[in-house]
Amino acid sequence: MTGSHLDSQPKGGKYDGAYGVVGGFEALEAIERAGIETRRPIELVAWTNEEGGRYQPGVMGSGVFVGDMNFEAQLDILDRDGVRLGDALAETLASTPGIARRSFGFPIASYVEAHIEQGPRLENENKTIGVVTGIQGMCWYIVEISGDEAHAGTAPLRSRRDAAKAAVSMVSALEELTADETDTVRFTVGRFEVGPGSPNTVPGSALFSIDLRHPEARVLEKLMAEIEPVCRANARGCDVSVRRPMNTPPIVFNSTMVDVVRRQAGALGIPAMDMPSGAGHDAGYVSRVAPTAMIFVPCAKGLSHNEAESATPSDLAAGAATLAACLVELADKG
Ligand SMILES: [Zn+2]
């Protein structure tokens, strides 16, 4: 099986997802035109709602397919305008008559998904194919700090419990903790709030988020074990609570499958490099039920989730050619 998704972000580009579906069709047509017969059928999939832009959560089609999400429950989810997913889905199906219905969870011998990289590594390294070794792990934390509100003019610094300064100390210490010469750790504080938010009151409360990612479970777990102790050590007399609302461990793709992509790109003479995926994909869910691999192609300046998303025809063709070669090998094998 090959494919990807066709939905996008509110201001997304035209390659994220769509390339894996259109590229999959190209590969199937090329295989048919070449008169190649395979022992196994090759199926193309367009997973529903990977991005989660209109209906949350995302990665829904593959999540339902592998049995991690309940189908009926997803149908009742509403978009911002109150449209039920079940109704939107029925409309989509009605507009594409003649497509045979498939059951969820049918066995898949192997799955290969082509996708734009959505990052700058291939472009920087002057490579055309990213041989994706897995999907990096990701966890989220919410750190809440409470101190004491006080008068900014009269309260001596020594006796203050300043939640904002504690939060700043924590973020600095966490930045030191996650410092990485190889630039592989991804540490982001995307939300930072201070209360009550008045210039002449010492802040009594603060909250910040942490998004932490790494492709290796060992490294990620080591860092995760330090998050709360580092926050507590930098609390400056304030109370701290640390929650972890999300923890998705890293995924390592089947090494035989990764080798197929590496070998076929090599056989076609296309410059390739191994790399983990920084973003999540349907392939992550599918890898739970079938040997899985991904093929990345470069996108201009690594830009994605942006209308300016772009990729060159020759790179896209190289990715589709690699995909076709992988599909032929995988569908033929006994
Ligand atoms: Zn995508």
Side-chain angles (χ1 to χ4, degrees):
M1 179 186 278
T2 188
S4 190
H5 59 95
L6 287 173
D7 63 313
S8 183
Q9 290 287 327
K11 297 234 166 175
K14 59 185 176 187
Y15 297 92
D16 174 1
Y19 169 60
V21 178
V22 177
F25 269 125
E26 282 292 337
L28 290 180
E29 280 190 9
I31 292 166
E32 191 166 279
R33 271 200 304 270
I36 297 169
E37 283 188 27
T38 57
R39 286 204 317 115
R40 294 188 172 115
I42 307 172
E43 299 203 39
L44 184 98
V45 61
W47 299 109
T48 296
N49 190 34
E50 192 271 349
E51 297 286 353
R54 181 175 172 193
Y55 293 98
Q56 289 83 46
V59 212
M60 194 185 269
S62 49
V64 168
F65 183 87
V66 305
D68 192 68
M69 295 181 197
N70 179 276
F71 175 56
E72 301 297 331
Q74 308 307 314
L75 294 180
D76 284 328
I77 294 174
L78 305 177
D79 73 1
R80 256 172 307 233
D81 302 321
V83 179
R84 255 181 94 247
L85 180 109
D87 296 334
L89 190 60
E91 211 175 289
T92 300
L93 290 172
S95 71
T96 51
I99 292 179
R101 294 295 187 90
R102 303 290 272 121
S103 58
F104 296 126
F106 63 82
I108 305 169
S110 55
Y111 176 74
V112 189
E113 178 169 347
H115 207 283
I116 59 165
E117 180 200 347
Q118 303 181 278
R121 284 190 63 194
L122 290 172
E123 198 177 69
N124 291 345
E125 307 272 337
N126 220 357
K127 304 283 190 202
T128 307
I129 295 292
V131 179
V132 185
T133 52
I135 299 176
Q136 71 178 342
M138 163 168 83
C139 57
W140 281 3
Y141 289 86
I142 298 288
V143 181
E144 282 178 278
I145 301 132
S146 54
D148 295 318
E149 286 170 24
H151 193 294
T154 59
L157 287 178
R158 219 170 291 156
S159 65
R160 290 184 186 183
R161 297 205 310 146
D162 184 326
K165 284 182 182 167
V168 168
S169 299
M170 289 175 200
V171 172
S172 299
L174 290 169
E175 194 160 18
E176 247 166 70
L177 169 76
T178 54
D180 171 16
E181 267 181 26
T182 67
D183 199 5
T184 312
V185 176
R186 296 282 172 267
F187 167 72
T188 306
V189 174
R191 188 177 161 198
F192 196 102
E193 295 165 10
V194 168
S198 167
N200 53 355
T201 295
V202 175
S205 67
L207 177 153
F208 66 92
S209 64
I210 300 168
D211 176 309
L212 181 69
R213 309 188 194 204
H214 196 277
E216 289 168 53
R218 191 177 47 83
V219 178
L220 196 57
E221 280 163 16
K222 205 170 152 223
L223 291 172
M224 284 163 69
E226 289 296 318
I227 297 279
E228 187 162 345
V230 164
C231 290
R232 296 208 176 280
N234 290 275
R236 300 172 69 146
C238 295
D239 298 319
V240 192
S241 100
V242 179
R243 284 186 294 124
R244 193 181 65 202
M246 182 166 59
N247 179 23
T248 311
I251 291 164
V252 178
F253 287 152
N254 179 297
S255 60
T256 309
M257 290 290 295
V258 175
D259 192 52
V260 169
V261 176
R262 197 185 290 122
R263 191 156 29 75
Q264 292 298 352
L268 290 167
I270 302 170
M273 65 183 273
D274 284 13
M275 60 187 302
S277 171
H281 294 287
D282 291 303
Y285 263 135
V286 181
S287 72
R288 293 192 190 182
V289 298
T292 292
M294 288 189 80
I295 297 168
F296 277 175
V297 295
C299 54
K301 298 189 180 77
L303 205 61
S304 187
H305 286 191
N306 185 312
E307 285 169 348
E309 196 176 79
S310 177
T312 69
S314 67
D315 286 348
L316 296 170
T322 305
L323 175 64
C326 291
L327 292 175
V328 168
E329 174 175 346
L330 293 164
D332 236 343
K333 257 162 85 174

